[in-house]
Amino acid sequence: MEDQIFFGDVSARNLAREVKLEEDEEDFRSCCEDEEEWKDTEESVKEGAKDLKEELDEFSVKMFFKGMSIAEAGDSASGLSGIGVVMERSANAPTIQVQKKLDFYVDESVADYLALMDGLIEAMQNNIRRVFAFTDSEILYDQISHAEEDGNPLLMALKQRILEFSSNLESFVLNLIPSNDLERPLQLAQVAIGIVSLPSKGDGSLENCSICCEDKPSPMMITMKCSHKFCSHCMKTYVDGKVQSSQVPIRCPQLRCKYFISTTECRSFLPVTCFESLERALAEANVLNSEKIYCPFPNCSVLLDPRECLSARASSSSQSDNSCVECPVCQRFICVDCGVPWHSSMSCEEYQSLPLEERDAGDITLHRLAQNKRWRRCQQCRRMIELTQGCYHMTCW
């Protein structure tokens, strides 16, 4: 009997241990099941997106949208907000993009709602009837898809507007996806507000822009390959001005810097419309054409075609040399062969025989004066000498 009780106690302890192990195993299995369930959900979303791609036609789009806001340092009530929307269409149709800097600062959750609204408006303007939208905002997804109520009256009002817009479509489906799948609309929103790099949490560092001389947040600063650094707003204004006057390719705005800004660098801070204008300007200028030159005057520097300048000067007889053209912008004469301001007092061969340090306008004037006064140059010290009396023998002083 005692043996039975002993074994009974042992068996009870073993039973308890087995139950505990089973519970742990069930917990582990449930965690795994949850993880597998999440993975299955992710896979199903990806599969659905893949299927949608095949089903897209000229009247349907996949809309990826994202809003972004960055608060000013020390003031959480003010800052910059922007939105980005990318709409993928059928294989033969171009992608539709919406990029906008908002006139006011809003929370990022509100910016997501505004991005969806602008995307729906743009879709309807392009005669889109079916929209498959994708967001990473759980609040927006729950309110639109599950009709959940939120205490924020602004979000409720925006929700009603979104539902009104979507009711004009044949079909509107909103999907929740990971943030990593919204890189393109996020990039559009960043560029819209001048953000070049994603700011890290708590990073309130400021850097000085050498153009506007103001302290700007570090994420808004651009470092060129020539190592010069400027804020995105100043660079956008600078590049826009150069594009409007067809002065492309565009040099770094730093004084005496000869680096040409690449299109990749421009894409990082130029909005879509501005970048397209830059591409058109580059295509029109055809900078690969070796016959095109820049006006050598620093306050002009426009890109010009000498052949057009020659035809425009054909009726003028003020300059007869074929290597002399007139800049159509600053109306000053240029030597095409030498690529410098026109040297009327000497031929191209004489000019090119001058030392490099004696080719500016002041030196050319000196050479013209020396020629008129019959001055001679000492072959040793290179100084100009005037013969006032005596023989022609020169001794370096």
Side-chain angles (χ1 to χ4, degrees):
M1 184 67 179
E2 288 178 311
D3 290 343
Q4 288 177 351
I5 292 172
F6 174 76
F7 283 111
D9 292 340
V10 172
S11 61
R13 284 196 297 270
N14 289 340
L15 181 61
R17 191 180 294 113
E18 288 175 4
V19 170
K20 182 69 169 62
L21 288 172
E22 287 178 1
E23 289 176 354
D24 292 342
E25 189 177 349
E26 286 178 5
D27 291 340
F28 177 74
R29 191 183 298 112
S30 65
C31 290
C32 291
E33 286 173 357
D34 291 341
E35 189 175 348
E36 287 174 2
E37 233 175 75
W38 173 246
K39 286 181 180 177
D40 290 342
T41 304
E42 280 187 334
E43 288 176 2
S44 64
V45 168
K46 290 178 181 177
E47 289 287 336
K50 191 174 180 181
D51 293 340
L52 283 174
K53 185 69 177 176
E54 296 174 355
E55 295 173 2
L56 291 181
D57 55 27
E58 58 178 326
F59 300 111
S60 59
V61 294
K62 284 171 59 180
M63 180 192 296
F64 301 88
F65 62 93
K66 183 65 181 171
M68 184 179 184
S69 296
I70 179 171
E72 289 186 2
D75 187 3
S76 59
S78 61
L80 300 169
S81 298
I83 61 172
V85 182
V86 176
M87 285 181 266
E88 293 182 355
R89 308 175 71 179
S90 57
N92 298 326
T95 301
I96 302 174
Q97 295 185 114
V98 178
Q99 185 179 43
K100 182 188 294 185
K101 177 186 176 183
L102 301 180
D103 298 329
F104 45 85
Y105 172 74
V106 295
D107 290 334
E108 203 156 287
S109 57
V110 178
D112 284 330
Y113 280 75
L114 295 174
L116 177 55
M117 282 178 54
D118 276 44
L120 290 174
I121 293 172
E122 187 69 23
M124 288 186 289
Q125 289 176 350
N126 284 271
N127 298 320
I128 302 300
R129 300 173 187 171
R130 292 176 291 278
V131 174
F132 305 95
F134 297 87
T135 181
D136 63 347
S137 171
E138 294 185 7
I139 298 174
L140 191 156
Y141 176 75
D142 290 337
Q143 279 205 7
I144 302 298
S145 298
H146 301 154
E148 292 189 5
E149 297 295 328
D150 189 279
N152 190 327
L154 176 59
L155 295 184
M156 293 299 296
L158 293 175
K159 170 191 171 182
Q160 292 302 320
R161 294 296 301 276
I162 291 171
L163 293 176
E164 289 174 10
F165 289 138
S166 61
S167 64
N168 296 322
L169 301 169
E170 290 181 6
S171 175
F172 174 73
V173 180
L174 184 62
N175 301 277
L176 185 65
I177 59 173
S179 301
N180 294 337
D181 294 339
L182 297 175
E183 289 183 2
R184 286 182 298 164
L186 177 61
Q187 177 69 19
L188 291 177
Q190 285 178 2
V191 174
I193 60 177
I195 300 299
V196 181
S197 59
L198 274 176
S200 56
K201 290 185 179 179
D203 182 17
S205 60
L206 300 174
E207 296 183 51
N208 187 265
C209 172
S210 58
I211 296 179
C212 62
C213 299
E214 294 182 2
D215 292 332
K216 298 293 182 73
S218 296
M220 296 181 68
M221 299 297 292
I222 305 163
T223 303
M224 300 285 128
K225 290 181 180 178
C226 56
S227 77
H228 295 129
K229 186 177 289 189
F230 313 96
C231 76
S232 57
H233 290 162
C234 287
M235 285 302 298
K236 176 184 176 297
T237 304
Y238 171 72
V239 171
D240 279 347
K242 293 293 185 182
V243 169
Q244 292 300 321
S245 58
S246 300
Q247 298 182 44
V248 290
I250 302 169
R251 295 194 184 195
C252 170
Q254 185 69 30
L255 188 65
R256 289 187 291 275
C257 180
K258 296 183 179 180
Y259 173 72
F260 288 99
I261 306 171
S262 67
T263 53
T264 304
E265 288 171 313
C266 289
R267 190 189 294 273
S268 67
F269 62 84
L270 282 183
V272 174
T273 52
C274 297
F275 185 76
E276 289 174 351
S277 298
L278 172 63
E279 287 185 316
R280 284 195 297 270
L282 288 170
E284 291 170 4
N286 192 14
V287 293
L288 295 178
N289 187 348
S290 59
E291 293 184 357
K292 292 199 173 186
I293 62 171
Y294 283 97
C295 176
F297 293 95
N299 58 352
C300 181
S301 300
V302 69
L303 185 69
L304 50 91
D305 189 340
R307 294 171 299 178
E308 295 177 2
C309 298
L310 280 169
S311 61
R313 193 180 54 83
S315 59
S316 174
S317 59
S318 60
Q319 299 291 344
S320 58
D321 199 310
N322 288 333
S323 62
C324 176
V325 300
E326 183 181 1
C327 175
V329 176
C330 65
Q331 280 86 45
R332 286 175 286 191
F333 290 107
I334 303 165
C335 177
V336 177
D337 294 337
C338 301
V340 297
W342 177 243
H343 41 80
S344 57
S345 61
M346 58 181 68
S347 65
C348 291
E349 290 77 12
E350 291 173 333
Y351 176 83
Q352 292 171 10
S353 66
L354 293 175
L356 292 176
E357 64 273 11
E358 296 183 9
R359 293 186 179 182
D360 60 19
D363 291 318
I364 293 175
T365 303
L366 175 62
H367 283 286
R368 185 185 303 124
L369 182 62
Q371 190 176 20
N372 294 335
K373 296 287 185 178
R374 296 185 178 181
W375 296 345
R376 295 295 180 264
R377 167 169 276 174
C378 174
Q379 299 300 316
Q380 186 170 343
C381 66
R382 307 295 296 171
R383 284 181 171 86
M384 289 293 182
I385 300 170
E386 181 181 12
L387 178 64
T388 56
Q389 61 181 357
C391 67
Y392 289 101
H393 176 73
M394 292 189 298
T395 303
C396 182
W397 67 283

